[in-house]
Amino acid sequence: MTRRILRTRAFAALLFFIATAFSPLALALPTIERFTTANGVRVDFVASREQPLIDVVVSFDAGSARDPEGKEGLASLTRQLLDTSTRVHDEQGLSDAFADLAVSLSGSVDEDRATVAWRNLSEAQVRDAAADLVAEVLTQPIFSPAIFIRERANAKAALKDALTRPEVLSERTFTANVYRDHPYGKLPTLESLDRITREDLIAFHRAYYTRAAAHVAIVGDLDRAQAEQLADRITAKLPAGEPPKPLPPVAPTQAHDERIAHPAQQAHLRLGLAVMTRDDPDYFPLLVGNHVLGGGGFGSRLVDEIREQRGYAYSVASVLEPRRQAGPFVIALQTRGKQAEEAMALARETLERFREQGPTAEELRRAQDNIAQGFGLRLDSNRKLIGYVSMMGYYGLPLDWLERYPEAVRAVSTQQVQDAFARRIDPARLVTVRVGGDGDR
């Protein structure tokens, strides 16, 4: 296929996408098929025929928790440079090759995983060409010395700038004190970035970008046999590798209170601890309870107490972030420095009262309605669906997890919420952080 034909077809696909991207999909829950390729890669697949497009996410157990001691930031730099040059294409040539296919490669790195994601036309020639190009990126990166020097310098400049911002200092201080020596507590510093070499990226890629550490999610216009062929085409040339060692459990959070001076007028406050895993038995009681407490926006307890009644903050929220090992529960808000202590005390008091009493029947009903009735909107496009399919497959959640989700939310009782919060969120172990507010005299 010539470049001109590819460009023409890619442009036609782009026009089709623009015309259909916002058309509603049937809200029938998808059928997820789970299988393992002949070379041992786990795959989750959903056939979706509404559009002639395919979404793919390849995940690797290559998140920041895998950073070596003293070289924090390595996982992020490795992923960042992965798709910048290969043995076949330089930086511009690789960009042009993806553009010819109307493919925009994306991805991310968090504590647990690194991802490579893309969307392409489902026509066989384009599908195969895109798969081959991504396979080249996954298996033949060269981590160009010049690009490495440039991107490491950019990472240092970005981090240096971020460390001047109170919200970043608050989040980093909170994370460091909640996780301490656990891999989740590894945070890049200017010094750790300086210690990273190009050889470190090569070694990290060799260790973690393997079939044993990979999961593939596919949603789109193809059948099971084609999905199997696609997954194999993408991953066949990856080294077999060994499964990475399991992350250690998170030790119980130890109470800690830290204040960091900063000239900002607003004080940035955080309080919380490590709580929830992806497969947590208390997942749904904690989810629904957090929605009532501070995750549901207006009408939640924290917004009512801290914003509406006292005017201490424009925004306040509580967040649960499930991970492979216990992810954080955090209450975060910004307030004037003069009233920071009162706002922090009120946030703690609201949490403790909720922990002791749980939600009212009316609060529970509103939260369940909001979560369950809005669930379909989270699945109303392939782009949204692929995120759930990838997450479920990577963490090994049951195939009926999406199907059970609204029902499980509806089944939560006020007693279950109160019991889960009482057992899992201990006020005596909270980490509290205040950054800034010193400019509000």
Side-chain angles (χ1 to χ4, degrees), residues 75-87:
S76 181
L77 269 177
T78 302
R79 172 60 191 90
Q80 188 173 341
L81 269 71
L82 188 68
D83 53 3
T84 56
S85 54
T86 70
R87 295 173 196 164

Side-chain angles (χ1 to χ4, degrees), residues 14-287:
L14 180 61
L15 289 177
F16 181 88
F17 172 66
I18 292 171
T20 61
F22 298 101
S23 61
L25 300 179
L27 294 182
L29 290 173
T31 298
I32 302 174
E33 300 183 62
R34 179 168 290 174
F35 57 89
T36 301
T37 66
N39 58 29
V41 176
R42 298 174 300 120
V43 182
D44 283 71
F45 161 62
V46 174
S48 177
R49 301 292 194 173
E50 287 82 4
Q51 303 171 9
L53 298 168
I54 299 171
D55 287 277
V56 186
V57 176
V58 184
S59 300
F60 295 93
D61 190 340
S64 62
R66 301 298 180 185
D67 282 341
E69 187 72 30
K71 295 189 176 182
E72 293 80 7
L74 177 57
S76 181
L77 269 177
T78 302
R79 172 60 191 90
Q80 188 173 341
L81 269 71
L82 188 68
D83 53 3
T84 56
S85 54
T86 70
R87 295 173 196 164
V88 180
H89 292 91
D90 63 13
E91 188 172 22
Q92 187 59 53
L94 193 59
S95 176
D96 289 344
F98 277 115
D100 286 342
L101 297 169
V103 170
S104 177
L105 208 63
S106 61
S108 63
V109 176
D110 61 23
E111 291 78 8
D112 286 338
R113 61 175 171 158
T115 65
V116 177
W118 70 99
R119 162 177 282 195
N120 58 259
L121 190 67
S122 60
E123 181 186 350
Q125 288 178 294
V126 177
R127 180 185 71 216
D128 292 346
D132 289 344
L133 193 56
V134 173
E136 178 188 319
V137 165
L138 295 179
T139 60
Q140 301 184 60
I142 61 171
F143 302 110
S144 159
I147 296 175
F148 166 71
I149 291 171
R150 180 191 75 196
E151 294 305 319
R152 185 179 64 173
N154 289 342
K156 288 174 60 181
L159 178 59
K160 187 174 182 179
D161 176 70
L163 292 175
T164 66
R165 300 199 295 271
E167 65 274 17
V168 174
L169 293 174
S170 173
E171 182 177 4
R172 285 171 61 94
T173 303
F174 177 82
T175 298
N177 284 292
V178 167
Y179 290 106
R180 293 171 292 162
D181 296 330
H182 190 273
Y184 285 163
K186 294 178 179 178
L187 299 170
T189 63
L190 296 176
E191 294 75 20
S192 72
L193 292 174
D194 258 334
R195 287 190 285 267
I196 295 172
T197 66
R198 173 177 174 267
E199 288 69 30
D200 291 324
L201 272 67
I202 294 171
F204 189 90
H205 175 264
R206 185 184 303 118
Y208 295 109
Y209 283 78
T210 67
R211 296 198 302 266
H215 173 268
V216 178
I218 303 171
V219 174
D221 181 27
L222 68 175
D223 60 28
R224 166 68 178 265
Q226 292 168 329
E228 291 179 1
Q229 293 169 0
L230 177 61
D232 187 66
R233 194 170 191 124
I234 294 165
T235 62
K237 293 182 180 180
L238 286 169
E242 295 291 333
K245 293 181 179 180
L247 295 176
V250 175
T253 303
Q254 300 298 312
H256 181 83
D257 183 77
E258 188 156 347
R259 302 291 184 265
I260 297 177
H262 192 282
Q265 288 192 342
Q266 290 279 304
H268 292 252
L269 311 179
R270 285 178 176 261
L271 64 155
L273 69 171
V275 175
M276 184 193 280
T277 60
R278 273 288 174 191
D279 58 353
D280 203 300
D282 288 320
Y283 185 94
F284 287 101
L286 289 171
L287 172 76

Side-chain angles (χ1 to χ4, degrees), residues 408-429:
V409 167
R410 296 282 192 194
V412 171
S413 68
T414 56
Q415 180 57 43
Q416 286 175 321
V417 171
Q418 190 276 325
D419 176 66
F421 270 74
R423 285 185 292 103
R424 305 295 298 281
I425 299 180
D426 183 357
R429 294 193 290 111

Side-chain angles (χ1 to χ4, degrees), residues 179-435:
Y179 290 106
R180 293 171 292 162
D181 296 330
H182 190 273
Y184 285 163
K186 294 178 179 178
L187 299 170
T189 63
L190 296 176
E191 294 75 20
S192 72
L193 292 174
D194 258 334
R195 287 190 285 267
I196 295 172
T197 66
R198 173 177 174 267
E199 288 69 30
D200 291 324
L201 272 67
I202 294 171
F204 189 90
H205 175 264
R206 185 184 303 118
Y208 295 109
Y209 283 78
T210 67
R211 296 198 302 266
H215 173 268
V216 178
I218 303 171
V219 174
D221 181 27
L222 68 175
D223 60 28
R224 166 68 178 265
Q226 292 168 329
E228 291 179 1
Q229 293 169 0
L230 177 61
D232 187 66
R233 194 170 191 124
I234 294 165
T235 62
K237 293 182 180 180
L238 286 169
E242 295 291 333
K245 293 181 179 180
L247 295 176
V250 175
T253 303
Q254 300 298 312
H256 181 83
D257 183 77
E258 188 156 347
R259 302 291 184 265
I260 297 177
H262 192 282
Q265 288 192 342
Q266 290 279 304
H268 292 252
L269 311 179
R270 285 178 176 261
L271 64 155
L273 69 171
V275 175
M276 184 193 280
T277 60
R278 273 288 174 191
D279 58 353
D280 203 300
D282 288 320
Y283 185 94
F284 287 101
L286 289 171
L287 172 76
V288 175
N290 182 67
H291 194 89
V292 175
L293 176 64
F298 288 103
S300 66
R301 290 273 189 99
L302 286 167
V303 171
D304 182 62
E305 292 283 351
I306 293 176
R307 172 184 164 142
E308 299 301 321
Q309 294 193 34
R310 311 295 178 88
Y312 282 160
Y314 179 75
S315 65
V316 56
S318 59
V319 177
L320 277 165
E321 184 184 331
R323 298 178 185 169
R324 174 158 285 155
Q325 297 297 333
F329 162 79
V330 58
I331 296 173
L333 65 146
Q334 298 84 47
T335 189
R336 292 184 58 188
K338 291 179 180 179
Q339 56 198 28
E341 297 308 313
E342 292 91 339
M344 179 72 85
L346 183 57
R348 180 187 283 270
E349 176 188 328
T350 303
L351 172 62
E352 292 183 2
R353 186 165 59 249
F354 185 78
R355 176 179 175 271
E356 293 169 0
Q357 300 174 359
T360 66
E362 178 60 21
E363 286 176 324
L364 180 70
R365 184 193 62 77
R366 287 201 307 265
Q368 290 170 323
D369 286 348
N370 190 284
I371 298 170
Q373 292 176 5
F375 187 66
L377 296 177
R378 305 183 189 183
L379 307 174
D380 65 356
S381 72
N382 286 0
R383 198 178 294 278
K384 294 178 183 178
L385 179 59
I386 189 71
Y388 276 95
V389 174
S390 176
M391 179 275 292
M392 289 170 57
Y394 180 78
Y395 288 104
L397 298 180
L399 285 173
D400 65 350
W401 192 82
L402 287 177
E403 182 180 350
R404 291 190 303 106
Y405 191 100
E407 178 184 346
V409 167
R410 296 282 192 194
V412 171
S413 68
T414 56
Q415 180 57 43
Q416 286 175 321
V417 171
Q418 190 276 325
D419 176 66
F421 270 74
R423 285 185 292 103
R424 305 295 298 281
I425 299 180
D426 183 357
R429 294 193 290 111
L430 290 176
V431 167
T432 58
V433 176
R434 170 183 170 173
V435 177

